[in-house]
Amino acid sequence: MHQTALDFLREERGLTGAKEACNEGDCGACLIAVGHLDGARLRYRTMNSCLLPATRLHGKHVVTVEGLAEGGALHPVQQALFDQHGAQCGFCTSGFVMALFCLFLERPTPTREDILRALDGSLCRCTGYASILRAADALAARCRTDDRVVRALRPSYFASVFEPLCALLR
């Protein structure tokens, strides 16, 4: 069986935030965050779930856009996109959210070049990129001045993921 991560997440787990669009890894609508053990920490990177075999998820922490908001509050990336009107139809939004989520986890105060590199490969046909870039810039500025925002970048439940992954891979 050659099931993709996208099909597994949508069909088997009911997580429909990652979208099927180009099915070639070119548009970013299907982006997910995949956490892997790197020594004593979990590191996250975006992956095109439409190309990723589902079997490659074993031993990984998979995060979809559904796993970001907590307690009725949007994740800081989601809030920044909302505040800057960074979405219209919403089809591509989850991909942009996940790309920025992974960027901000690794680098809470990214440069404009870092932001552009993180969004490379994510396409939007209706919102335009100006509001998406404004959202990323605004979040980076907030992270420079407010440690609470930086702490909110990593959902609280992430603290409970490390040990079970270590045990699974022993």
Side-chain angles (χ1 to χ4, degrees):
M1 181 173 188
H2 300 285
Q3 186 178 38
T4 65
L6 178 65
D7 290 340
F8 174 76
L9 292 168
R10 290 179 66 82
E11 296 167 12
E12 308 280 328
R13 294 291 182 241
L15 299 169
T16 58
K19 305 294 186 219
E20 182 176 340
C22 73
N23 236 8
E24 295 177 352
D26 289 334
C27 72
C30 70
L31 287 180
I32 58 173
V34 178
H36 64 279
L37 290 173
D38 183 15
R41 70 180 276 210
L42 270 168
R43 298 191 67 129
Y44 293 85
R45 67 182 188 150
T46 56
M47 300 189 88
N48 289 303
S49 63
C50 72
L51 300 177
L52 182 66
T55 56
R56 298 282 309 274
L57 300 178
H58 178 74
K60 306 287 192 283
H61 179 215
V62 178
V63 183
T64 64
V65 72
E66 292 94 343
L68 298 184
E70 290 189 282
L74 293 175
H75 183 274
V77 169
Q78 294 168 317
Q79 188 65 54
L81 284 166
F82 176 80
D83 292 343
Q84 296 297 324
H85 310 287
Q88 280 186 26
C89 81
F91 195 82
C92 66
T93 305
S94 63
F96 280 99
V97 167
M98 297 314 293
L100 291 173
F101 169 71
C102 283
L103 169 65
F104 277 89
L105 275 184
E106 289 295 315
R107 189 171 298 193
T109 57
T111 65
R112 175 53 81 90
E113 183 177 309
D114 295 330
I115 293 166
L116 291 171
R117 192 175 310 114
L119 296 178
D120 189 30
S122 291
L123 302 176
C124 176
R125 292 193 172 124
C126 56
T127 301
Y129 300 97
S131 57
I132 295 167
L133 293 173
R134 275 194 312 273
D137 289 339
L139 181 55
R142 286 187 62 213
C143 288
R144 284 186 196 93
T145 61
D146 192 342
D147 287 338
R148 291 172 300 169
V149 176
V150 173
R151 285 190 301 276
L153 293 171
R154 184 173 297 274
S156 61
Y157 74 90
F158 275 35
S160 66
V161 172
F162 185 78
E163 288 302 320
L165 274 183
C166 288
L168 179 66
L169 297 174
R170 284 188 193 129

